[in-house]
Amino acid sequence: MTDTTPTDKITIETHGRREALALTGTICALYEAVFSLPPFNGTAAEFANQRSYYPKLVDRPGFRLTTARSGPEFVGFGYGYLLPTDTRWWSALAEPVGEEFAAETGTRTFAVIDYGVLFDRRGAGAGHRIHDELLSGSGAERATLSVQPKAVRTREVYRRWGWRKVSHKLMDPPIPAPVFEILVLEEMPGAR
């Protein structure tokens, strides 16, 4: 599916499994470019971890990859998958959520795993367009993601887009960060 509406000559595309795998190198390079900068300051170990898990995520039910291009250059990405019924996403939270909240059906919640836009392309709307396309086509009722507390500007953007914090999780081992805030979006784009 391609949205070719010109906005700063940015093209938003959602890719099928085969395309998502073919774009592995591109997505991993974008991830490294985005998360090597402050406030994240990613490490070689983090980037190797992402290169390792990305191809495995593509096989998960409900996986989606959405990218932004300016001409032939990829400038942003977002990907995730539908949480399965046996997910551990809601376990080990510092502030537990209720059983009903944590109950998954396999289509209830879309988890955004990684998302980013190149630094020099931020502020032109590509990130919001990736976000909305990724989530609106997921078929889920709601979405969730985790964000590092030190990513203050990122958290502010998510709040403006309707996300709210439901808890935080201590990571073990603490790579790339020891603590993540768990956010939820209950009004999905396109459902308004």
Side-chain angles (χ1 to χ4, degrees):
M1 168 187 244
T2 302
D3 172 4
T4 56
T5 307
T7 300
D8 270 351
K9 300 177 186 170
I10 296 291
T11 302
I12 303 298
E13 299 172 299
T14 295
H15 306 274
R17 181 183 178 280
R18 184 174 293 148
E19 290 175 312
L21 284 173
L23 288 169
T24 297
T26 299
I27 299 306
C28 294
L30 282 169
Y31 179 95
E32 188 167 341
V34 169
F35 291 102
S36 64
L37 300 174
F40 304 105
N41 302 316
T43 64
E46 178 186 346
F47 302 139
N49 184 45
Q50 189 269 344
R51 283 190 301 276
S52 172
Y53 70 68
Y54 173 79
K56 296 171 190 169
L57 292 181
V58 173
D59 286 331
R60 288 188 177 240
F63 176 85
R64 291 176 60 78
L65 166 66
T66 300
T67 58
R69 280 187 303 108
S70 176
E73 177 191 11
F74 285 90
V75 298
F77 69 97
Y79 58 84
Y81 58 88
L82 293 168
L83 292 179
T85 57
D86 62 348
T87 187
R88 295 182 347 172
W89 186 273
W90 306 113
S91 63
L93 297 178
E95 303 92 13
V97 295
E99 259 184 63
E100 186 176 320
F101 185 91
E104 293 297 340
T105 64
T107 59
R108 182 180 187 197
T109 307
F110 185 82
V112 177
I113 302 302
D114 291 315
Y115 166 82
V117 175
L118 294 176
F119 181 77
D120 63 345
R121 299 305 184 119
R122 294 178 190 163
H128 203 175
R129 291 180 62 208
I130 292 168
H131 171 272
D132 286 359
E133 171 63 23
L134 181 66
L135 298 181
S136 67
S138 71
E141 298 171 27
R142 66 182 183 182
T144 186
L145 58 77
S146 61
V147 64
Q148 297 178 39
K150 66 183 177 182
V152 175
R153 295 183 86 196
T154 302
R155 289 175 26 239
E156 288 172 5
V157 168
Y158 287 143
R159 281 193 195 100
R160 280 197 316 267
W161 293 350
W163 292 84
R164 69 179 176 89
K165 178 183 173 186
V166 294
S167 190
H168 69 277
K169 186 177 247 186
L170 302 174
M171 303 307 273
D172 185 29
I175 294 177
V179 177
F180 280 89
E181 291 185 356
I182 305 301
L183 307 183
V184 170
L185 180 68
E186 293 174 306
E187 188 173 327
M188 296 289 274
R192 297 176 183 107

